[in-house]
Amino acid sequence: MSKIMQPQSAIAQREAVSLVARTVQGSAVQGKASPILEAVLTNVFGEGIGGQDIHFFLTGTHADLGSVSTNPEGVARFDVGSHISDIQSMLSGAFNGYTAEYGGSRNYRSATAHGNFNVTI
């Protein structure tokens, strides 16, 4: 598969975005936690950008959690569920947090944001 290179002028014309990953509140009961990760993608005017894929992974281990599309308000919610099942990943997430990543599109630039886990026992 060949990679299509875009002229620098096309890249410069893409609109800047803001990606904010929210702190996740949760409780670890008997070694189980099921947090919902949340990231908000907005344009330069603060308006949500819908229909864009946001990828989530653990910051410390770079463990791939998965992707989800933003809703019309630009909010992407990802239910971690069974994606964090081993104790090492749970601890890494608790200490290092998670990363939300937007790869950009024809119209928008890419963005990355860091979120934290606030887990109580």
Side-chain angles (χ1 to χ4, degrees):
M1 181 186 327
S2 64
K3 186 175 182 179
I4 298 173
M5 300 300 289
Q6 293 182 333
Q8 287 297 321
S9 61
I11 293 171
Q13 293 175 3
R14 293 190 301 172
E15 187 178 331
V17 297
S18 173
L19 183 64
V20 176
R22 300 208 173 137
T23 296
V24 175
Q25 304 293 329
S27 175
V29 178
Q30 298 176 355
K32 297 180 181 179
S34 185
I36 295 178
L37 309 182
E38 186 173 290
V40 181
L41 182 67
T42 57
N43 63 20
V44 295
F45 303 107
E47 302 164 331
I49 304 171
Q52 305 297 307
D53 290 335
I54 306 296
H55 188 78
F56 294 94
F57 57 93
L58 292 178
T59 301
T61 62
H62 297 289
D64 182 22
L65 297 174
S67 297
V68 66
S69 292
T70 56
N71 66 17
E73 290 78 36
V75 179
R77 288 186 182 93
F78 183 79
D79 186 351
V80 174
S82 62
H83 297 278
I84 301 178
S85 56
D86 64 278
I87 191 69
Q88 183 177 358
S89 292
M90 285 181 196
L91 289 173
S92 176
F95 288 112
N96 300 308
Y98 69 96
T99 299
E101 188 173 76
Y102 171 59
S105 70
R106 180 181 199 104
N107 299 319
Y108 300 107
R109 295 182 187 168
S110 61
T112 302
H114 178 77
N116 293 307
F117 291 100
N118 185 2
V119 180
T120 58
I121 298 178

